[in-house]
Amino acid sequence: MGKIYTVMGKSATGKDTVYKRLVERFDGRFKEVVMYTTRPIRAGEKDGVEYHFVSIPEKEKMDAEGKIIEIRRYDTVYGPWWYFTADDGQIDLSSGDYMMITTLAGYENLRDYFGKENVIPIYTDIDSYTRLHRAVERENRQKVPNFSEVCRRYLADEDDFRESELERLGVTKRFINDDLNRCLEEIADWILK
């Protein structure tokens, strides 16, 4: 039986980069799960790679068909955005291991759906100053930067990933991403144990 390794962390902790490098490093071990979102595509992203970018009516249709495993709503300065994992045939634990990016709430729902023994958390973390600095730099590369959204996301993550929630869900192992190569080595060693 395969496992689902869930890379998660607050925004700008480098989880997307960690995820991509782990998939490359373990060349073929992990099947990827592409999540869905209703948010607009960012500069440099490709539909079906970082996310499946769908409209709200498309999301509602999938929900009505019972295809959504876990979903999160973010009330952004642009309006509501949803991120979700769908039961769309991407995940079949009898065929091997998977790796995906999710949130703490997403991890909980996946764990409840597939079983605690089958969903493994990989929690990336970084100090608050570095995280905020990275988020501002990333937003500044957008065609129309919106720093109000950076602030909203920062504060929302502080609440979503609060210590009491991490503890409640048994997420005790942290991978500090202040040096990407060291962080990747630590995660790879931990996965191989």
Side-chain angles (χ1 to χ4, degrees):
M1 181 67 83
K3 307 279 185 213
I4 302 170
Y5 290 83
T6 57
V7 179
M8 62 184 150
K10 298 171 184 172
S11 61
T13 58
K15 62 188 170 293
D16 293 332
T17 301
V18 165
Y19 166 81
K20 288 174 187 175
R21 297 278 179 89
L22 287 172
V23 169
E24 290 170 8
R25 180 184 188 122
F26 284 95
D27 189 30
R29 172 175 174 178
F30 296 109
K31 296 174 182 167
E32 298 178 66
V33 177
V34 180
M35 296 178 61
Y36 291 75
T37 185
T38 62
R39 80 154 166 78
I41 193 166
R42 291 181 184 146
E45 291 180 326
K46 293 182 182 165
D47 185 38
V49 177
E50 286 83 8
Y51 293 98
H52 292 291
F53 294 92
V54 297
S55 66
I56 291 173
E58 288 171 308
K59 185 254 331 160
E60 289 170 351
K61 181 177 185 280
M62 292 175 79
D63 195 18
E65 294 170 348
K67 293 184 176 181
I68 295 180
I69 295 171
E70 58 86 22
I71 189 166
R72 288 145 341 268
R73 175 184 166 147
Y74 296 100
D75 292 315
T76 76
V77 296
Y78 301 108
W81 291 348
W82 283 269
Y83 291 79
F84 59 97
T85 305
D87 189 352
D88 60 358
Q90 288 186 74
I91 302 173
D92 175 8
L93 294 180
S94 67
S95 68
D97 291 329
Y98 292 81
M99 185 168 286
M100 62 187 294
I101 299 170
T102 190
T103 63
L104 190 58
Y107 161 73
E108 180 177 20
N109 290 326
L110 287 163
R111 185 195 68 176
D112 292 349
Y113 190 86
F114 290 103
K116 183 179 180 179
E117 67 282 1
N118 297 319
V119 183
I120 313 300
I122 299 173
Y123 180 57
T124 60
D125 203 2
I126 193 74
D127 67 89
S128 295
Y129 173 81
T130 303
R131 188 166 78 79
L132 186 56
H133 183 65
R134 286 178 182 175
V136 167
E137 284 183 340
R138 179 177 66 193
E139 190 65 24
N140 205 35
R141 291 190 300 268
Q142 299 304 306
K143 192 180 240 181
V144 181
N146 186 321
F147 298 103
S148 297
E149 177 57 20
V150 170
C151 295
R152 185 214 57 82
R153 200 164 44 238
Y154 180 90
L155 294 172
D157 281 349
E158 288 296 303
D159 185 51
D160 292 345
F161 286 92
R162 64 189 174 277
E163 290 301 318
S164 60
E165 278 299 284
L166 291 164
E167 186 177 311
R168 180 180 71 80
L169 294 171
V171 179
T172 57
K173 181 70 176 158
R174 293 171 194 258
F175 297 96
I176 306 301
N177 191 13
D178 56 1
D179 177 304
L180 179 60
N181 290 327
R182 182 189 46 73
C183 182
L184 290 168
E185 286 300 317
E186 288 178 4
I187 295 170
D189 289 347
W190 180 76
I191 288 171
L192 292 171
K193 285 184 182 181

